[in-house]
Amino acid sequence: MSKTAFDVVVIGSGAAGLTCALVAQRQGLDCLIVEKSEVLGGTTAYSGGGVWIPCNPHMPSIGQDDTRAEAEEYLAGVLGNHYDAELVGAFLSSGG
């Protein structure tokens, strides 16, 4: 018998979709991932899946630099009302 009910249905298996599915599964939720592409990863599989980790120690070696204040300002602008200083602080602290 095929399963027809899930707690979470994730549309797309890109970086965000797979992260969502992983978090849902770790929370004990039953998850289904739906991907229209022929490859797992969706467009992330084609893009190289780059992730921005601000203030990381490898940036100076490639001539790049940013500050915690710049990262906080950028994230505040992008996240708007969803900005959580404690979570952003934890993200920035763990990236460096």
Side-chain angles (χ1 to χ4, degrees):
M1 181 163 96
S2 297
K3 184 161 177 76
T4 59
F6 298 90
D7 298 311
V8 177
V9 176
V10 177
I11 308 300
S13 67
L18 290 178
T19 300
C20 176
L22 175 64
V23 170
Q25 186 272 330
R26 293 199 60 181
Q27 294 295 317
L29 300 173
D30 200 11
C31 188
L32 171 68
I33 302 170
V34 179
E35 174 58 58
K36 71 177 180 178
S37 171
E38 294 127 15
V39 296
L40 182 67
T43 56
T44 302
Y46 298 108
S47 70
V51 177
W52 175 57
I53 307 295
C55 309
N56 77 71
H58 305 287
M59 291 178 67
S61 70
I62 60 168
Q64 299 294 314
D65 193 20
D66 57 9
T67 67
R68 186 178 181 107
E70 289 171 328
E72 288 170 346
E73 181 180 352
Y74 172 78
L75 291 170
V78 170
L79 296 172
N81 292 336
H82 300 285
Y83 184 86
D84 181 320
E86 185 176 339
L87 291 177
V88 167
F91 170 66
L92 295 175
S93 293
S94 65

